[in-house]
Amino acid sequence: MEKKLTRSQQKHLDIINAAKEEFIEHGFLAANMDRITASAEVSKRTLYRHFESKEILFESVLTIINDSVNESVSYQFDPDKTTEEQLKALAYKEIDVLYKSYGISLARTIVIEFLRQPEMAKNLISNIYSIRAITQWFSAAVEAGRLKSEDPKLMTEVYVSLFQGLFFWPQIMNLDAELKGEALHQKVDTLTAVFIQSYGMK
């Protein structure tokens, strides 16, 4: 039986949900705290009691999304499936996290806002991906003799760099639309093939 939220906890959640939609629709700079309070059906005094500033509210929205992703995403190595099959499944899940849990609009807002704070931007952008889950899968694949015996953390950095180049930065910079259908499948195939060519066992 689920524990019922207190009135304060529910208001906190309502503010978070309203803020997420506001940041997606208007970006950080144009986001309006009055609209957030109206959407969440709380007073401005209540909003600021929960979140001291718009910056703290924005970071809280991203932290909650990230925590939810980390709790729900894990990749179990399956010795009965091919390396290629599992890497493709991993890529599709990461795309789902990026395009649905965050959304390109919110990811673009993160980049635009925190260009003024590069270190924070670096942390937030890296947190969009399930770094821990990816690294754990690479470690298991190395132990199983499917991938070369190299540092799984370095493999993760290489993988995420390739992933960003195909599925993140072109969309963030409005060079490409969000990938779908055959175009999406082709790029997943390319990502998988390049990674296996670099780290796969012959």
Side-chain angles (χ1 to χ4, degrees):
M1 184 175 178
E2 284 189 18
K3 187 178 179 181
K4 189 174 181 180
L5 296 177
T6 66
R7 191 161 179 266
S8 179
Q9 289 171 330
Q10 186 60 57
K11 286 184 180 294
H12 189 94
L13 184 60
D14 290 342
I15 293 168
I16 286 288
N17 289 333
K20 179 181 177 183
E21 296 307 315
E22 178 73 11
F23 290 133
I24 288 173
E25 184 173 352
H26 298 285
F28 177 82
L29 292 177
N32 184 285
M33 298 296 260
D34 289 330
R35 282 196 297 261
I36 293 172
T37 57
S39 179
E41 298 182 351
V42 299
S43 68
K44 188 172 281 190
R45 181 179 177 182
T46 297
L47 187 152
Y48 282 111
R49 190 166 65 243
H50 285 269
F51 304 98
E52 294 177 4
S53 66
K54 186 163 70 170
E55 288 78 8
I56 289 173
L57 177 55
F58 187 50
E59 288 180 50
S60 297
V61 167
L62 300 179
T63 298
I64 286 173
I65 296 173
N66 180 244
D67 288 347
S68 175
V69 168
N70 281 335
E71 288 174 9
S72 62
V73 176
S74 65
Y75 302 118
Q76 301 300 318
F77 180 80
D78 188 342
D80 295 326
K81 292 182 179 179
T82 66
T83 307
E84 180 182 23
E85 184 180 3
Q86 293 183 72
L87 278 171
K88 285 183 179 180
L90 189 155
Y92 283 118
K93 179 61 182 177
E94 288 300 304
I95 290 165
D96 190 61
V97 167
L98 175 59
Y99 289 177
K100 294 181 181 177
S101 295
Y102 283 91
I104 290 298
S105 295
L106 184 57
R108 187 177 292 120
T109 296
I110 294 169
V111 172
I112 291 171
E113 165 53 19
F114 289 113
L115 281 177
R116 297 180 300 158
Q117 303 179 59
E119 195 56 39
M120 187 176 288
K122 180 181 176 183
N123 293 334
L124 289 168
I125 291 168
S126 67
N127 283 341
I128 289 175
Y129 309 100
S130 312
I131 299 294
R132 184 171 54 190
I134 296 170
T135 304
Q136 288 173 344
W137 188 90
F138 287 158
S139 296
V142 168
E143 287 180 19
R146 294 286 191 87
L147 296 178
K148 292 177 182 177
S149 184
E150 297 192 23
D151 182 2
K153 289 184 179 180
L154 177 58
M155 287 184 183
T156 302
E157 289 179 12
V158 171
Y159 183 86
V160 170
S161 294
L162 291 169
F163 186 96
Q164 287 179 338
L166 292 171
F167 304 107
F168 181 80
W169 288 114
Q171 291 72 31
I172 292 296
M173 303 305 292
N174 287 319
L175 302 176
D176 289 338
E178 186 176 308
L179 290 166
K180 297 178 181 177
E182 188 57 33
L184 177 66
H185 299 322
Q186 286 179 353
K187 292 204 173 185
V188 168
D189 289 349
T190 298
L191 170 64
T192 304
V194 169
F195 191 83
I196 290 177
Q197 186 174 16
S198 298
Y199 290 107
M201 298 298 285
K202 302 296 183 183

